[in-house]
Amino acid sequence: MKDIKALLTEHAFFRNLKEKQIETIAGCGKNVHFSKGDVVFRQGEEANAFYIVKKGAVSIEVDGAERGTIIIQTVEAGDILGWSWLIPPHEWRFTANAVEETSAVALDGRCLRGKCGGDDALAHTLLEKFAGVLAQRLEKTRMQLLDVYGK
Amino acid sequence: MIPQQFRIQKLKSETYDTFTMELVSEKKKDGFSFLPGQFNMLYVFGVGEVPISISGDPTKQENLMHTIRDVGSVTGALRKLEEGDSVGVRGPFGSAWPVEAAEGKDVVIVTGGIGLAPLRPAFYHILANRKKYGKVAILYGARTPEDILYPEDLQEWRSKFDLQVRVTVDRAGKDWHGTVGVVPSLISKVRFDPKNTLAMVCGPEIMMRFTVQELEKCGLMTEQIYVSMERNMKCAIGFCGHCQYGPKFICKDGPVFRFDEIEELFAVREV
Amino acid sequence: MQIIERENLTALFESLKKHGYEIVGPTVRDEVVIYDTLNAVEDLPKGWTDEQEKGIYRLKKRDDEALFGYVLSPHTWKKFLYPPKVKLWEAKRQEKSFTITEPQGDGPKYAFLGVRACELAAIAMQDKIFLEGAHIDPIYKERREKSLIIAVNCGQAAKTCFCPSMNSGPKVTSGFDLALTEVCTPYHHYFVVETGTAKGKDVLKDLSLHPAEESAKESARQVVKNAEDQIERTLKTEGLKENLQANAEHPRWNDVADRCLSCANCTMVCPTCFCSTVEDVTDLTGDHAERWRLWDSCFTMDFSHIHGGNIRSSTKGRYRQWMTHKLASWVDQFGVSGCTGCGRCITWCPVGIDITEEVAVIQKQE
């Protein structure tokens, strides 16, 4: 537990959070490990966590049917993985696959939602942080869509 | 200035639309001297001329190397040439990457698409003088795994313990084991000291825009960032007016600019 | 200063020819004064003057027989020094290679007759571009060095003139081999001649000249003063470079883009615009290739083409490029403004866009 709190404290995502808040969040965390090829979460399943990747890499994929599996993004050490836990219907929109040996801290969504229920300040802070992650992700997705290297 | 005849010594297909030609002078025997980042005007007999950056090793000047993407009439005509055919060469023209100013510093090279070609000479130079530089990172973004330029070079550089080499693609299937995402995202994944770093950036303008933003977010000042610009070019010696970029001529003031010199222009559309 | 009588002008023509010059100067054709080869004094636009305004040019009869009684031709001397179409080299295929040959030193030897002060300024600007940089244009250099410049002071101004604003006229002060001032009264028609160079002096050698007395000099001064007094338009140059460069998004660019036809007339008549393109051609056998250089204009769409599209795809972008280059970035590039105040771009704009007016609007809102 202690090392999770320490990790969160150092992580850019949790910058400016109060120690108390970090402690609360850390209370919902546990260390997880994925072997290469393991599914971290699967599209359509209930989304009940987000991950702070400590080591390794995870690909976010979508099933393109006749086009096969398409990797839309790779998430690596230091990155945040997963936002579906926060937004109803709390269901994974994509599939995540460990492409290498991967270690992460999984933060339990139900636990966090529960704690946010009684703590507006925490809820607000987390939403703000995730809004930042989403905005960045959107910006980069737009750049991908621009197909800047195309003719 | 009239073109000098060079013979195509060797042709190599890089990707489905990109190829590299090695040229040797038909007259001069002493090779071709250039600075990393400079370009030549390549002439195809009767078809026309096109500016192409030099992509070979500046320390090996026997052969002149150009990597060309087939995107227009002249590049299309270049692609149809065979080994033993001749092309006209005028050059080298333009400004260079700051490989000397970067000595004693960390170097972050960020490239996208064919933009790797104009930076390869700078990277060769750094490799040949590795001890003079601090941490060195080369980040490369391509459209798909099939579009990746110089895969053998990237593989070799990746195997070196003192280089940080990262490649990412915009989209990939399951058989791609590398990174998917845009190249600016890689900047935060490599180690460098933002206070003592020079960044060299080459790629489409949109990619360079996002890259500069990300470098600034990581703590670099615009004086620490160099970019290579592209505009239409006819004469390459400042006469034809085509390559003007505000008060600059890309052909003689550029193509490599320290970003703070052009920052204001870069923000304006249709300059 | 000396005087050539009007009736002795033929002797100047003869002397120029004797010195091997092809005389180029004003002559009337298709209801305009153009610059072309002159065979005799009779080719000059005797008794003609021009009326110019935004989008307007008319030739009118004068009530005297002045030979240089017009203001400015739509032609400029760059037509001769930097030809609109010129062969740069030719190549012959030889098995898998080719050989290239350049045309050598056979350019014409011109005597330019009737060069106005603003046009001297324009030639000086083009000298900076083609002769004073890291690279020298051999075609321009050869023609420029061989040529003889006979300036003629303006005795009248057009409504479109604003050379004093650009510090380039109306009085001829430098850059000439010979400078003439035409004095045409009902009683006496003569030219006051000022010699600028030894080359100029040389062609006067065999002419019958007599020294200009003070009254003639005063008459000559009055001629230029008359032109000066007629100039109405102004362009404020103070702070202009910074002003334009800081106003890339000024709403006026949209406004002018609505009127501008992107026809490129302004760049064709401008005495300093120097943009060019090249054309590579082959004959039918494909064994003989040539490269030609042609005047180009930043108003054409493909001027800024790079693979994937055109950088300046809007008229706004193109007009802004032209004007900010002319009046602002030119200063960065060559140390002087690219405008001489000749007003041709105002006269020859089919929709009457006036550069001085556009500048004033952008300056006002600053």
Side-chain angles (χ1 to χ4, degrees):
Chain A
M1 190 67 93
K2 209 166 188 188
D3 63 328
I4 292 180
K5 189 187 158 196
L7 181 105
L8 300 193
T9 309
E10 277 168 29
H11 200 284
F13 183 77
F14 296 99
R15 198 174 294 149
N16 303 331
L17 261 70
K18 296 192 182 75
E19 200 194 336
K20 186 88 193 308
Q21 292 177 317
I22 292 181
E23 213 168 273
T24 308
I25 296 168
C28 296
K30 66 171 188 217
N31 281 306
V32 291
H33 186 82
F34 302 97
S35 297
K36 186 174 173 178
D38 282 357
V39 171
V40 180
F41 52 74
R42 209 181 291 276
Q43 181 180 339
E45 286 177 358
E46 191 184 351
N48 252 327
F50 78 93
Y51 300 84
I52 297 153
V53 181
K54 292 197 289 186
K55 197 182 120 232
V58 175
S59 65
I60 302 173
E61 304 170 350
V62 62
D63 176 18
E66 78 286 359
R67 291 170 64 189
T69 300
I70 299 162
I71 305 173
I72 51 175
Q73 188 169 22
T74 312
V75 172
E76 299 176 35
D79 292 335
I80 301 288
L81 169 66
W83 44 264
S84 301
W85 70 278
L86 189 65
I87 297 157
H90 309 299
E91 196 178 89
W92 293 118
R93 317 310 280 176
F94 301 105
T95 297
N97 240 306
V99 287
E100 297 168 15
E101 291 284 312
T102 299
S103 307
V105 172
L107 291 145
D108 186 279
R110 232 176 291 175
C111 168
L112 280 174
R113 287 199 296 268
K115 289 186 173 166
C116 288
D119 186 344
D120 284 353
L122 180 67
H124 179 263
T125 305
L126 270 178
L127 268 174
E128 199 176 54
K129 292 288 182 185
F130 269 92
V133 171
L134 287 174
Q136 236 177 51
R137 193 90 26 115
L138 178 62
E139 187 185 292
K140 284 168 181 167
T141 304
R142 283 195 173 137
M143 192 182 152
Q144 273 169 296
L145 286 173
L146 284 168
D147 195 19
V148 291
Y149 312 121
K151 274 187 199 177
Chain B
M1 273 188 83
I2 63 170
Q4 302 299 311
Q5 294 89 332
F6 277 65
R7 202 180 59 252
I8 302 173
Q9 176 102 325
K10 206 174 143 200
L11 273 176
K12 180 171 183 274
S13 170
E14 300 283 357
T15 70
Y16 56 90
D17 65 355
T18 304
F19 56 100
T20 297
M21 45 175 64
E22 274 182 52
L23 305 171
V24 282
S25 172
E26 290 180 17
K27 289 186 187 131
K28 281 200 304 182
K29 290 279 168 273
D30 49 351
F32 192 89
S33 169
F34 70 98
L35 299 171
Q38 289 192 303
F39 67 93
N40 281 326
M41 298 298 287
L42 298 188
Y43 169 71
V44 182
F45 185 86
V47 179
E49 215 177 30
V50 71
I52 304 281
S53 60
I54 304 167
S55 53
D57 188 339
T59 63
K60 295 180 193 142
Q61 306 195 329
E62 316 82 79
N63 289 0
L64 171 63
M65 213 181 275
H66 283 288
T67 296
I68 303 157
R69 186 172 175 201
D70 174 6
V71 289
S73 57
V74 182
T75 49
L78 280 163
R79 195 183 187 177
K80 290 199 186 86
L81 297 177
E82 294 168 0
E83 285 174 6
D85 286 345
S86 284
V87 294
V89 176
R90 290 193 298 133
F93 299 114
S95 59
W97 295 108
V99 287
E100 274 162 24
E103 287 177 5
K105 297 182 196 300
D106 294 348
V107 179
V108 179
I109 291 176
V110 191
T111 66
I114 188 88
L116 181 57
L119 263 161
R120 190 165 70 160
F123 201 64
Y124 280 135
H125 176 94
I126 290 167
L127 287 182
N129 300 274
R130 184 64 191 89
K131 285 200 186 82
K132 291 185 182 167
Y133 300 91
K135 300 187 186 75
V136 174
I138 181 159
L139 313 177
Y140 176 50
R143 194 182 193 204
T144 70
E146 290 73 46
D147 292 275
I148 292 172
L149 207 54
Y150 311 139
E152 300 94 341
D153 277 348
L154 289 164
Q155 199 62 42
E156 192 199 320
W157 299 337
R158 202 201 295 269
S159 70
K160 292 187 195 288
F161 68 95
D162 58 352
L163 295 176
Q164 307 174 75
V165 179
R166 292 295 312 262
V167 178
T168 187
V169 296
D170 275 352
R171 68 200 63 152
K174 195 74 179 153
D175 50 351
W176 168 248
H177 300 292
T179 307
V180 176
V182 297
V183 69
S185 305
L186 297 177
I187 294 166
S188 62
K189 307 293 178 200
V190 290
R191 290 174 308 280
F192 58 90
D193 172 12
K195 284 187 199 63
N196 191 34
T197 293
L198 282 192
M200 307 180 199
V201 185
C202 187
E205 258 182 68
I206 303 173
M207 169 262 168
M208 294 202 288
R209 178 165 291 125
F210 282 103
T211 299
V212 168
Q213 285 169 6
E214 195 67 30
L215 287 166
E216 288 184 293
K217 223 191 274 177
C218 289
L220 264 71
M221 311 290 286
T222 48
E223 302 92 88
Q224 294 170 268
I225 303 170
Y226 290 76
V227 298
S228 182
M229 296 297 298
E230 184 189 0
R231 285 293 181 270
N232 184 301
M233 209 174 274
K234 298 289 182 201
C235 74
I237 50 177
F239 291 158
C240 78
H242 279 255
C243 72
Q244 284 180 86
Y245 186 52
K248 314 284 187 191
F249 289 92
I250 301 281
C251 68
K252 52 179 193 180
D253 304 317
V256 177
F257 293 98
R258 205 173 78 176
F259 192 68
D260 58 316
E261 291 172 34
I262 57 158
E263 195 176 0
E264 279 174 36
L265 295 169
F266 202 77
V268 182
R269 281 185 208 175
E270 297 196 24
V271 175
Chain C
M1 273 188 233
Q2 293 166 297
I3 282 176
I4 307 181
E5 296 296 334
R6 157 68 182 86
E7 49 279 18
N8 287 338
L9 205 59
T10 298
L12 176 63
F13 271 60
E14 293 314 315
S15 171
L16 290 169
K17 286 180 191 168
K18 209 177 80 196
H19 282 83
Y21 289 108
E22 177 182 345
I23 307 166
V24 178
T27 190
V28 173
R29 190 171 307 155
D30 299 333
E31 295 175 57
V32 286
V33 170
I34 60 159
Y35 298 154
D36 203 352
T37 304
L38 305 178
N39 288 313
V41 174
E42 288 64 41
D43 292 337
L44 290 165
K46 184 174 80 177
W48 288 103
T49 192
D50 47 12
E51 183 185 288
Q52 303 193 32
E53 238 309 350
K54 289 199 278 188
I56 293 169
Y57 177 98
R58 294 277 179 281
L59 275 192
K60 281 181 152 183
K61 268 289 178 198
R62 294 172 61 94
D63 51 16
D64 62 17
E65 298 204 327
L67 300 174
F68 297 91
Y70 63 94
V71 181
L72 270 182
S73 165
H75 282 186
T76 65
W77 306 100
K78 78 175 180 187
K79 173 179 150 188
F80 305 100
L81 292 171
Y82 192 67
K85 188 173 184 199
V86 67
K87 185 157 68 177
L88 294 181
W89 45 258
E90 51 187 60
K92 244 177 98 173
R93 198 193 290 279
Q94 285 181 325
E95 293 177 28
K96 299 202 123 192
S97 186
F98 51 86
T99 51
I100 295 182
T101 45
E102 264 179 304
Q104 298 289 350
D106 50 1
K109 184 180 169 185
Y110 289 124
F112 299 137
L113 175 60
V115 182
R116 302 302 196 187
C118 62
E119 298 180 317
L120 289 171
I123 292 169
M125 283 178 204
Q126 291 217 319
D127 285 353
K128 279 182 183 290
I129 299 161
F130 296 121
L131 302 179
E132 293 169 25
H135 294 276
I136 285 165
D137 185 74
I139 296 167
Y140 184 89
K141 182 171 188 276
E142 192 208 343
R143 287 170 176 243
R144 181 75 174 88
E145 281 173 355
K146 282 186 181 170
S147 65
L148 180 87
I149 293 180
I150 306 172
V152 176
N153 270 307
C154 286
Q156 56 281 306
K159 289 233 164 52
T160 45
C161 290
F162 58 101
C163 58
S165 293
M166 306 317 291
N167 208 12
S168 67
K171 183 162 175 41
V172 163
T173 54
S174 64
F176 55 86
D177 296 299
L178 293 172
L180 313 181
T181 306
E182 181 176 27
V183 181
C184 183
T185 70
Y187 321 102
H188 193 187
H189 191 177
Y190 61 96
F191 294 87
V192 176
V193 190
E194 197 184 330
T195 308
T197 62
K199 204 157 93 175
K201 198 174 171 183
D202 205 33
V203 293
L204 294 181
K205 221 168 39 198
D206 304 327
L207 266 64
S208 97
L209 302 165
H210 55 87
E213 58 276 29
E214 190 47 43
S215 65
K217 287 183 192 169
E218 178 52 29
S219 299
R221 278 195 288 273
Q222 275 305 318
V223 165
V224 185
K225 183 159 188 316
N226 185 45
E228 203 164 346
D229 289 346
Q230 288 176 11
I231 293 170
E232 295 167 5
R233 268 187 168 74
T234 55
L235 189 143
K236 197 178 127 229
T237 54
E238 195 196 331
L240 177 57
K241 173 177 121 65
E242 294 73 19
N243 200 317
L244 288 176
Q245 288 176 337
N247 273 300
E249 300 303 340
H250 196 284
R252 187 66 176 189
W253 300 123
N254 286 322
D255 185 277
V256 70
D258 279 345
R259 288 172 280 138
C260 174
L261 307 176
S262 228
C263 72
N265 261 17
C266 50
T267 54
M268 295 295 108
V269 296
C270 178
T272 67
C273 270
F274 59 89
C275 287
S276 64
T277 187
V278 286
E279 265 180 25
D280 289 283
V281 295
T282 51
D283 65 2
L284 282 176
T285 65
D287 290 334
H288 177 88
E290 293 177 350
R291 168 164 297 175
W292 288 78
R293 181 172 72 194
L294 293 87
W295 282 0
D296 201 358
S297 169
C298 54
F299 279 95
T300 66
M301 179 69 98
D302 64 356
F303 185 86
S304 60
H305 181 82
I306 57 172
H307 79 272
N310 303 308
I311 299 285
R312 291 179 212 109
S313 54
S314 72
T315 304
K316 171 191 166 182
R318 299 201 285 277
Y319 188 88
R320 185 182 65 188
Q321 166 63 25
W322 176 70
M323 200 169 100
T324 46
H325 179 223
K326 186 72 50 193
L327 299 173
S329 37
W330 204 296
V331 182
D332 292 308
Q333 293 168 349
F334 305 109
V336 291
S337 167
C339 177
T340 66
C342 76
R344 283 183 178 89
C345 58
I346 305 171
T347 299
W348 295 98
C349 176
V351 295
I353 294 170
D354 175 353
I355 191 169
T356 65
E357 204 176 298
E358 299 308 316
V359 163
V361 172
I362 290 172
Q363 280 174 328
K364 207 163 81 190
Q365 300 204 350
E366 177 67 355

PDB file of all heavy atoms in Angstrom, chain C residues 227-241:
ATOM      1  N   ALA C 227       6.803  68.661 -62.274  1.00  0.00           N
ATOM      2  CA  ALA C 227       6.400  67.271 -62.015  1.00  0.00           C
ATOM      3  C   ALA C 227       6.164  67.075 -60.520  1.00  0.00           C
ATOM      4  O   ALA C 227       5.155  66.491 -60.095  1.00  0.00           O
ATOM      5  CB  ALA C 227       7.474  66.318 -62.519  1.00  0.00           C
ATOM      6  N   GLU C 228       7.088  67.572 -59.754  1.00  0.00           N
ATOM      7  CA  GLU C 228       7.013  67.398 -58.307  1.00  0.00           C
ATOM      8  C   GLU C 228       5.713  67.994 -57.752  1.00  0.00           C
ATOM      9  O   GLU C 228       5.054  67.391 -56.904  1.00  0.00           O
ATOM     10  CB  GLU C 228       8.230  68.075 -57.674  1.00  0.00           C
ATOM     11  CG  GLU C 228       8.571  67.519 -56.321  1.00  0.00           C
ATOM     12  CD  GLU C 228       9.987  67.912 -55.901  1.00  0.00           C
ATOM     13  OE1 GLU C 228      10.769  68.377 -56.762  1.00  0.00           O
ATOM     14  OE2 GLU C 228      10.291  67.745 -54.717  1.00  0.00           O
ATOM     15  N   ASP C 229       5.374  69.162 -58.251  1.00  0.00           N
ATOM     16  CA  ASP C 229       4.175  69.853 -57.763  1.00  0.00           C
ATOM     17  C   ASP C 229       2.892  69.096 -58.098  1.00  0.00           C
ATOM     18  O   ASP C 229       1.864  69.274 -57.450  1.00  0.00           O
ATOM     19  CB  ASP C 229       4.100  71.271 -58.353  1.00  0.00           C
ATOM     20  CG  ASP C 229       5.166  72.175 -57.760  1.00  0.00           C
ATOM     21  OD1 ASP C 229       5.765  71.776 -56.728  1.00  0.00           O
ATOM     22  OD2 ASP C 229       5.423  73.247 -58.337  1.00  0.00           O
ATOM     23  N   GLN C 230       2.954  68.300 -59.146  1.00  0.00           N
ATOM     24  CA  GLN C 230       1.736  67.591 -59.568  1.00  0.00           C
ATOM     25  C   GLN C 230       1.478  66.304 -58.773  1.00  0.00           C
ATOM     26  O   GLN C 230       0.420  65.695 -58.900  1.00  0.00           O
ATOM     27  CB  GLN C 230       1.833  67.248 -61.062  1.00  0.00           C
ATOM     28  CG  GLN C 230       1.686  68.473 -61.944  1.00  0.00           C
ATOM     29  CD  GLN C 230       1.880  68.109 -63.410  1.00  0.00           C
ATOM     30  OE1 GLN C 230       1.923  66.948 -63.789  1.00  0.00           O
ATOM     31  NE2 GLN C 230       2.004  69.142 -64.243  1.00  0.00           N
ATOM     32  N   ILE C 231       2.477  65.874 -58.006  1.00  0.00           N
ATOM     33  CA  ILE C 231       2.322  64.573 -57.330  1.00  0.00           C
ATOM     34  C   ILE C 231       1.384  64.703 -56.135  1.00  0.00           C
ATOM     35  O   ILE C 231       1.571  65.550 -55.258  1.00  0.00           O
ATOM     36  CB  ILE C 231       3.700  64.009 -56.925  1.00  0.00           C
ATOM     37  CG1 ILE C 231       4.478  63.666 -58.196  1.00  0.00           C
ATOM     38  CG2 ILE C 231       3.545  62.762 -56.042  1.00  0.00           C
ATOM     39  CD1 ILE C 231       5.917  63.321 -57.989  1.00  0.00           C
ATOM     40  N   GLU C 232       0.354  63.897 -56.139  1.00  0.00           N
ATOM     41  CA  GLU C 232      -0.672  63.978 -55.096  1.00  0.00           C
ATOM     42  C   GLU C 232      -0.604  62.808 -54.122  1.00  0.00           C
ATOM     43  O   GLU C 232      -0.844  62.947 -52.938  1.00  0.00           O
ATOM     44  CB  GLU C 232      -2.063  63.984 -55.747  1.00  0.00           C
ATOM     45  CG  GLU C 232      -2.324  65.222 -56.589  1.00  0.00           C
ATOM     46  CD  GLU C 232      -3.556  65.069 -57.463  1.00  0.00           C
ATOM     47  OE1 GLU C 232      -4.267  64.043 -57.344  1.00  0.00           O
ATOM     48  OE2 GLU C 232      -3.794  65.993 -58.274  1.00  0.00           O
ATOM     49  N   ARG C 233      -0.351  61.632 -54.659  1.00  0.00           N
ATOM     50  CA  ARG C 233      -0.417  60.437 -53.800  1.00  0.00           C
ATOM     51  C   ARG C 233       0.770  60.359 -52.859  1.00  0.00           C
ATOM     52  O   ARG C 233       1.880  60.789 -53.188  1.00  0.00           O
ATOM     53  CB  ARG C 233      -0.446  59.175 -54.658  1.00  0.00           C
ATOM     54  CG  ARG C 233      -1.839  58.708 -54.992  1.00  0.00           C
ATOM     55  CD  ARG C 233      -1.809  57.366 -55.691  1.00  0.00           C
ATOM     56  NE  ARG C 233      -3.132  56.795 -55.764  1.00  0.00           N
ATOM     57  CZ  ARG C 233      -4.086  57.205 -56.571  1.00  0.00           C
ATOM     58  NH1 ARG C 233      -3.866  58.238 -57.382  1.00  0.00           N
ATOM     59  NH2 ARG C 233      -5.269  56.629 -56.563  1.00  0.00           N
ATOM     60  N   THR C 234       0.527  59.766 -51.708  1.00  0.00           N
ATOM     61  CA  THR C 234       1.615  59.546 -50.758  1.00  0.00           C
ATOM     62  C   THR C 234       1.498  58.146 -50.166  1.00  0.00           C
ATOM     63  O   THR C 234       0.423  57.536 -50.170  1.00  0.00           O
ATOM     64  CB  THR C 234       1.568  60.550 -49.581  1.00  0.00           C
ATOM     65  OG1 THR C 234       0.282  60.448 -48.983  1.00  0.00           O
ATOM     66  CG2 THR C 234       1.828  61.972 -50.032  1.00  0.00           C
ATOM     67  N   LEU C 235       2.602  57.668 -49.686  1.00  0.00           N
ATOM     68  CA  LEU C 235       2.612  56.404 -48.968  1.00  0.00           C
ATOM     69  C   LEU C 235       3.527  56.601 -47.766  1.00  0.00           C
ATOM     70  O   LEU C 235       4.683  57.014 -47.927  1.00  0.00           O
ATOM     71  CB  LEU C 235       3.139  55.287 -49.877  1.00  0.00           C
ATOM     72  CG  LEU C 235       3.008  53.859 -49.350  1.00  0.00           C
ATOM     73  CD1 LEU C 235       2.677  52.905 -50.484  1.00  0.00           C
ATOM     74  CD2 LEU C 235       4.278  53.403 -48.666  1.00  0.00           C
ATOM     75  N   LYS C 236       2.974  56.376 -46.599  1.00  0.00           N
ATOM     76  CA  LYS C 236       3.761  56.621 -45.382  1.00  0.00           C
ATOM     77  C   LYS C 236       4.642  55.412 -45.123  1.00  0.00           C
ATOM     78  O   LYS C 236       4.141  54.318 -44.861  1.00  0.00           O
ATOM     79  CB  LYS C 236       2.811  56.887 -44.214  1.00  0.00           C
ATOM     80  CG  LYS C 236       3.480  57.549 -43.036  1.00  0.00           C
ATOM     81  CD  LYS C 236       2.469  57.825 -41.921  1.00  0.00           C
ATOM     82  CE  LYS C 236       2.971  57.242 -40.636  1.00  0.00           C
ATOM     83  NZ  LYS C 236       2.030  56.451 -39.917  1.00  0.00           N
ATOM     84  N   THR C 237       5.958  55.603 -45.199  1.00  0.00           N
ATOM     85  CA  THR C 237       6.858  54.456 -45.063  1.00  0.00           C
ATOM     86  C   THR C 237       7.351  54.260 -43.637  1.00  0.00           C
ATOM     87  O   THR C 237       7.854  53.199 -43.297  1.00  0.00           O
ATOM     88  CB  THR C 237       8.092  54.617 -45.971  1.00  0.00           C
ATOM     89  OG1 THR C 237       8.683  55.877 -45.678  1.00  0.00           O
ATOM     90  CG2 THR C 237       7.705  54.557 -47.432  1.00  0.00           C
ATOM     91  N   GLU C 238       7.179  55.268 -42.805  1.00  0.00           N
ATOM     92  CA  GLU C 238       7.695  55.172 -41.446  1.00  0.00           C
ATOM     93  C   GLU C 238       6.957  54.076 -40.669  1.00  0.00           C
ATOM     94  O   GLU C 238       5.730  54.106 -40.546  1.00  0.00           O
ATOM     95  CB  GLU C 238       7.508  56.536 -40.764  1.00  0.00           C
ATOM     96  CG  GLU C 238       8.309  56.695 -39.506  1.00  0.00           C
ATOM     97  CD  GLU C 238       7.788  57.876 -38.689  1.00  0.00           C
ATOM     98  OE1 GLU C 238       7.255  58.829 -39.285  1.00  0.00           O
ATOM     99  OE2 GLU C 238       7.887  57.779 -37.454  1.00  0.00           O
ATOM    100  N   GLY C 239       7.716  53.130 -40.184  1.00  0.00           N
ATOM    101  CA  GLY C 239       7.126  52.033 -39.409  1.00  0.00           C
ATOM    102  C   GLY C 239       6.318  51.059 -40.244  1.00  0.00           C
ATOM    103  O   GLY C 239       5.669  50.155 -39.713  1.00  0.00           O
ATOM    104  N   LEU C 240       6.365  51.235 -41.568  1.00  0.00           N
ATOM    105  CA  LEU C 240       5.508  50.420 -42.441  1.00  0.00           C
ATOM    106  C   LEU C 240       5.873  48.935 -42.411  1.00  0.00           C
ATOM    107  O   LEU C 240       5.010  48.064 -42.340  1.00  0.00           O
ATOM    108  CB  LEU C 240       5.600  50.959 -43.879  1.00  0.00           C
ATOM    109  CG  LEU C 240       4.819  50.195 -44.942  1.00  0.00           C
ATOM    110  CD1 LEU C 240       3.343  50.116 -44.597  1.00  0.00           C
ATOM    111  CD2 LEU C 240       5.005  50.847 -46.309  1.00  0.00           C
ATOM    112  N   LYS C 241       7.167  48.661 -42.442  1.00  0.00           N
ATOM    113  CA  LYS C 241       7.619  47.267 -42.445  1.00  0.00           C
ATOM    114  C   LYS C 241       7.078  46.520 -41.216  1.00  0.00           C
ATOM    115  O   LYS C 241       6.443  45.471 -41.341  1.00  0.00           O
ATOM    116  CB  LYS C 241       9.150  47.242 -42.455  1.00  0.00           C
ATOM    117  CG  LYS C 241       9.756  45.870 -42.298  1.00  0.00           C
ATOM    118  CD  LYS C 241      11.276  45.947 -42.397  1.00  0.00           C
ATOM    119  CE  LYS C 241      11.966  45.423 -41.158  1.00  0.00           C
ATOM    120  NZ  LYS C 241      11.766  43.991 -40.931  1.00  0.00           N
TER     121      LYS C 241
END
